[in-house]
Amino acid sequence: SAVISQKPSRDICQRGTSLTIQCQVDSQVTMMFWYRQQPGQSLTLIATANQGSEATYESGFVIDKFPISRPNLTFSTLTVSNMSPEDSSIYLCSVEGRTSGMFDEQFFGPGTRLTVL
Amino acid sequence: GIQVEQSPPDLILQEGANSTLRCNFSDSVNNLQWFHQNPWGQLINLFYIPSGTKQNGRLSATTVATERYSLLYISSSQTTDSGVYFCAVVPRNALIFGKGTTLSVSS
């Protein structure tokens, strides 16, 4: 399995500001994924980040609001821009681990709990 | 896009009881995983099970890919089993989650 760390673990921010969340993996991975979990809800995919190319965003998420960087095969950042209280969520990054199957098992970081006032 | 439906949405059990959670999905998938989200928000991998049956202690899972469903069995439930159980599928390369089953186990 992959070991994933995220920083910060939690933060309280003022509306209109931006927060950058870091995701570090203990091994090189091709794809990294960013998810959002709003209070009491399930997880929703924000974007897929491949090293060396622009992130691919899901419907309802745009690069201006959630810019993503992927500078190498073990690291990615997600920025939540111009925040509003509706952005209060847990943000999680995910990677594929190595399995014997054709499609790899995905593992999640501990998440970043964001509260916007 | 693919639909992932989990049932029941909520489940209340006494310690020691058994339960079955169901996940239906609307299209063929490359992968299926079950997760447990504990009260602190951490997602714990339970099973990677695109097809077949697997067991891990008191938990087991079965996926029938041709009929587009998966089942998670919890036997002799404990209070530490409480939390939200998610089924997630991979139609292309990323996980798409169901809405989850919230399990409460009381002593």
Side-chain angles (χ1 to χ4, degrees):
Chain A
S1 67
V3 177
I4 307 165
S5 60
Q6 286 187 233
K7 291 181 181 179
S9 58
R10 59 177 61 233
D11 207 342
I12 301 174
C13 301
Q14 297 295 321
R15 69 172 66 208
T17 63
S18 297
L19 176 72
T20 296
I21 301 167
Q22 300 179 5
C23 179
Q24 179 76 51
V25 189
D26 69 341
S27 58
Q28 294 184 341
V29 294
T30 302
M31 289 190 288
M32 297 179 77
F33 308 94
W34 287 98
Y35 290 80
R36 179 178 74 181
Q37 186 177 25
Q38 295 177 299
Q41 304 296 312
S42 184
L43 282 77
T44 301
L45 179 66
I46 298 172
T48 301
N50 289 335
Q51 194 265 338
S53 63
E54 287 199 6
T56 302
Y57 289 83
E58 297 298 303
S59 175
F61 297 96
V62 295
I63 187 171
D64 290 346
K65 176 67 175 177
F66 297 101
I68 289 172
S69 77
R70 182 79 201 275
N72 58 52
L73 291 174
T74 63
F75 186 79
S76 178
T77 66
L78 170 75
T79 299
V80 186
S81 303
N82 188 25
M83 289 184 286
S84 66
E86 292 71 33
D87 294 319
S88 297
S89 298
I90 301 174
Y91 293 85
L92 303 101
C93 70
S94 170
V95 305
E96 289 181 332
R98 294 189 181 276
T99 68
S100 59
M102 182 179 298
F103 295 94
D104 292 337
E105 184 175 3
Q106 288 192 8
F107 296 87
F108 284 80
T112 294
R113 193 176 295 267
L114 171 63
T115 301
V116 183
L117 302 178
Chain B
I2 194 168
Q3 303 298 312
V4 183
E5 297 181 355
Q6 291 186 243
S7 59
D10 301 284
L11 190 56
I12 300 174
L13 299 175
Q14 287 286 327
E15 203 167 25
N18 302 328
S19 61
T20 300
L21 283 58
R22 186 176 180 100
C23 173
N24 293 332
F25 44 98
S26 61
D27 205 346
S28 60
V29 297
N30 296 318
N31 180 19
L32 186 146
Q33 291 183 234
W34 283 96
F35 296 89
H36 176 212
Q37 189 168 42
N38 63 25
W40 297 271
Q42 177 70 46
L43 271 175
I44 300 166
N45 287 42
L46 296 178
F47 293 102
Y48 163 78
I49 188 166
S51 63
T53 297
K54 291 185 177 180
Q55 180 153 9
N56 184 3
R58 295 182 295 104
L59 276 60
S60 64
T62 295
T63 296
V64 184
T66 54
E67 298 186 18
R68 298 178 184 168
Y69 75 88
S70 183
L71 302 174
L72 176 69
Y73 306 95
I74 304 174
S75 64
S76 303
S77 58
Q78 301 175 358
T79 56
T80 52
D81 294 332
S82 296
V84 184
Y85 289 81
F86 288 107
C87 166
V89 301
V90 179
R92 289 176 296 158
N93 55 22
L95 286 167
I96 305 300
F97 282 75
K99 293 186 177 181
T101 293
T102 301
L103 174 63
S104 299
V105 181
S106 58
S107 57

